[in-house]
Amino acid sequence: MSYTRIISLLTKTKSKLTVKEFQEKINVVFHDFEANYYDDLHKDMWESLQQQFDLLVQDGLQYITHRTNLKVLDIGCGTGLSSELLLNTKIKPYVQQVTLLDTSPNMLKFAQKKAETWNVNYQVINGNITQITELYDVIVISSVLHHIPDLTTFLHDVSQKLNPNGLLIHLQDPNSDFLKTEDYTKRVDDFKKQNPKLIPNNTNIVFKKIKRFIKRLLNRKDYIDLINDELIRQNVIQKRMTADELWSVTDIQIASNVNDEINGISLHFLKHTLKDFTLLSTRSYGFFGVLKHDLPSNFKEIEEQLIQEKSLFGRNLACIWQKNQ
């Protein structure tokens, strides 16, 4: 279980919480703050992930089109990005209701504003998967799995909330099985040489991007200071945390300068854990270490070709599964 990787931070920060409470509280505070800037920060996701949703729905829609009253659960919905992109696909005519679930109250405020424009019934729930009492036909998990310490338990809980024959869609996961392959590393190295300013020489690409963005925006304390202020105010910590320490807690399944033993989500692990599911399709993207939105035009052409070939040697993993009866 990944909680063990952050136990030392309890001592360092003089926290009086359990390691589980510590991880959960830091995630909520971090994402509550990030919600105010999330959509501007992640324009690359807005521009790049629509294609991935289109492809996953294309791969799985035939298995569920006998229903015209689908109930969708978006776990870790954030500002509503994933639900909005899903509803932009061919699945929308079959959707009756969307449930937006997140532990961050501030993220949900932004998600609700989006939901009001969808012309679909929706509900908003501030909590986690264990608080869900209904069953769903489609569950979406976008850019979430790397935040979950105990993935085995989490995926078991997800399975319990999905109807038989229902679809599980997850994407924007760090693709650990292929990040260290020769194909991927050589491609990224060649891209770095031609575009040295586009990829920092650090594993925490997104984290550093967020930090620079908000520091420019606020023109005062950077967001690490503000998050620490709030964590101290809530008695989560007594001693301040560095950016890398916060990163190692919030993105617990990604290698960082604090914890380097793990590097993402393994498809092999998912197949082993989701034993009561059939894998309908696996896709990858981010073949040069960044999303398509951030690529020069000549690299976008290569990225598109690899996506169409269903190559799995990319930074990100995307899958669609069907729960067995």
Side-chain angles (χ1 to χ4, degrees):
M1 188 183 299
S2 296
Y3 286 118
T4 57
R5 301 189 187 97
I6 59 174
I7 289 176
S8 62
L9 290 175
L10 283 174
T11 303
K12 183 173 181 179
T13 60
K14 299 182 178 180
S15 177
K16 297 179 181 180
L17 302 180
T18 67
V19 67
K20 183 175 184 292
E21 292 169 338
F22 179 76
Q23 195 269 343
E24 289 174 351
K25 290 282 189 180
I26 289 176
N27 259 287
V28 171
V29 170
F30 180 93
H31 289 103
D32 265 349
F33 185 84
E34 189 185 30
N36 298 309
Y37 315 101
Y38 191 88
D39 289 349
D40 286 333
L41 280 167
H42 294 291
K43 288 181 179 178
D44 57 338
M45 289 172 60
W46 279 100
E47 296 292 332
S48 304
L49 292 192
Q50 184 64 67
Q51 179 183 24
Q52 298 307 318
F53 273 96
D54 289 340
L55 291 170
L56 290 172
V57 169
Q58 171 187 299
D59 294 341
L61 189 61
Q62 61 180 305
Y63 297 96
I64 206 164
T65 51
H66 61 286
R67 296 279 304 276
T68 57
N69 58 343
L70 300 179
K71 292 172 59 179
V72 176
L73 172 63
D74 185 349
I75 300 176
C77 66
T79 63
L81 166 63
S82 48
S83 285
E84 185 151 302
L85 296 180
L86 179 69
L87 292 172
N88 286 340
T89 73
K90 293 180 179 179
I91 203 173
K92 183 174 182 179
Y94 304 94
V95 175
Q96 182 184 65
Q97 177 186 308
V98 174
T99 296
L100 298 163
L101 175 70
D102 206 286
T103 58
S104 165
N106 203 28
M107 284 284 189
L108 286 172
K109 290 179 184 178
F110 288 91
Q112 183 162 350
K113 288 180 181 178
K114 288 188 181 71
E116 291 169 356
T117 70
W118 295 340
N119 196 30
V120 171
N121 293 328
Y122 72 91
Q123 62 176 329
V124 173
I125 299 177
N126 182 208
N128 59 49
I129 184 66
T130 62
Q131 294 163 264
I132 295 296
T133 58
E134 298 181 64
L135 294 179
Y136 293 85
D137 306 296
V138 179
I139 292 181
V140 179
I141 310 172
S142 177
S143 196
V144 169
L145 293 184
H146 62 280
H147 295 301
I148 307 297
D150 186 352
L151 281 170
T152 300
T153 299
F154 174 77
L155 291 171
H156 172 77
D157 291 339
V158 168
S159 176
Q160 297 300 304
K161 308 304 179 184
L162 195 62
N163 279 318
N165 295 320
L167 299 181
L168 169 62
I169 299 172
H170 64 88
L171 67 161
Q172 197 60 11
D173 301 318
N175 187 8
S176 70
D177 292 329
F178 296 94
L179 290 180
K180 294 183 179 180
T181 60
E182 184 177 354
D183 273 12
Y184 177 75
T185 54
K186 183 179 186 306
R187 193 184 306 114
V188 171
D189 286 343
D190 290 344
F191 179 59
K192 283 183 182 180
K193 291 175 184 177
Q194 297 184 52
N195 304 274
K197 295 182 180 180
L198 290 182
I199 302 184
N201 293 317
N202 190 292
T203 56
N204 303 340
I205 297 171
V206 176
F207 193 76
K208 289 186 174 293
K209 173 183 174 184
I210 294 170
K211 184 176 179 180
R212 290 195 304 269
F213 178 90
I214 297 181
K215 190 167 185 177
R216 289 197 306 270
L217 189 66
L218 296 176
N219 197 28
R220 52 189 178 92
K221 281 188 174 183
D222 70 25
Y223 86 129
I224 299 301
D225 294 321
L226 296 173
I227 291 171
N228 273 294
D229 290 346
E230 183 60 21
L231 290 172
I232 291 171
R233 189 190 71 79
Q234 293 188 21
N235 294 317
V236 176
I237 61 174
Q238 297 182 48
K239 185 176 179 181
R240 304 178 82 82
M241 301 176 70
T242 67
D244 285 323
E245 287 169 345
L246 282 168
W247 170 265
S248 71
V249 175
T250 61
D251 291 60
I252 199 166
Q253 297 290 351
I254 299 179
S256 70
N257 291 335
V258 176
N259 294 312
D260 59 2
E261 315 95 42
I262 194 165
N263 200 31
I265 309 300
S266 165
L267 182 59
H268 175 75
F269 163 81
L270 293 172
K271 288 179 178 179
H272 176 76
T273 305
L274 295 171
K275 293 179 179 179
D276 53 346
F277 285 78
T278 298
L279 179 58
L280 302 180
S281 180
T282 306
R283 292 184 176 271
S284 186
Y285 53 100
F287 294 100
F288 297 98
V290 297
L291 294 180
K292 187 191 289 188
H293 171 269
D294 291 329
L295 292 173
S297 58
N298 57 324
F299 286 95
K300 284 183 179 178
E301 293 178 4
I302 303 173
E303 174 88 7
E304 180 61 28
Q305 180 180 346
L306 291 167
I307 288 173
Q308 296 305 322
E309 292 173 356
K310 295 191 73 171
S311 170
L312 295 182
F313 293 89
R315 185 190 72 179
N316 299 100
L317 178 68
C319 298
I320 183 166
W321 310 71
Q322 185 173 37
K323 184 176 178 180
N324 301 327
Q325 288 190 357

